[in-house]
């Protein structure tokens, strides 16, 4: 990210119903993108405290799709853990986007 997300601004955005998306598809194609994925995701998750975050693939090909268990493992590398917040990034938070 070209800026650091500030916690008060992010908290206000979450209160209004905004969700944040982290996509991992580009990191499967390029090593430089992988480095940016981790640094940007950690900055965003630090500001959101793991709330209101959706993890998606942004896949351009079918080979870039991953199983839900793999994405939960990826979320644990971001510091969200295997259950709770890591799982919410795949089921609860995306459902909140669609319902809104």
């Amino acid at each position: 990210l070209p800026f650091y997300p500030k916690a008060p601004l992010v908290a206000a955005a979450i209160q209004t119903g905004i969700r944040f998306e982290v996509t991992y598809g580009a990191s499967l194609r390029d090593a430089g993108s992988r480095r940016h994925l981790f640094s940007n995701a950690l900055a965003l998750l630090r500001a959101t405290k793991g709330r209101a975050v959706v993890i998606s693939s942004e896949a351009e090909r079918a080979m870039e799709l991953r199983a839900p268990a793999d994405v939960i493992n990826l979320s644990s590398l971001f510091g969200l853990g295997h259950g709770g917040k890591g799982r919410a990034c795949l089921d609860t938070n995306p459902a909140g986007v669609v319902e809104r």
Side-chain angles (χ1 to χ4, degrees), residues 2-96:
F3 59 91
Y4 291 106
K6 307 271 191 288
L9 293 176
V10 171
I14 292 171
Q15 286 293 324
T16 61
I18 293 176
R19 301 291 186 257
F20 298 93
E21 182 180 21
V22 175
T23 59
Y24 62 85
S27 68
L28 299 174
R29 290 179 235 124
D30 180 34
S33 296
R34 193 172 306 125
R35 183 175 46 246
H36 291 297
L37 168 71
F38 280 95
S39 66
N40 292 338
L42 289 174
L44 181 64
L45 292 171
R46 192 174 303 123
T48 62
K49 298 178 184 161
R51 298 175 295 132
V53 175
V54 176
I55 298 178
S56 64
S57 68
E58 187 189 24
E60 293 178 357
R61 297 184 301 262
M63 292 299 293
E64 294 173 355
L65 294 173
R66 296 295 179 253
D70 294 337
V71 180
I72 291 172
N73 284 334
L74 180 65
S75 72
S76 71
L77 294 175
F78 297 150
L80 294 176
H82 287 285
K85 291 181 182 178
R87 188 170 191 89
C89 289
L90 292 179
D91 55 22
T92 309
N93 295 346

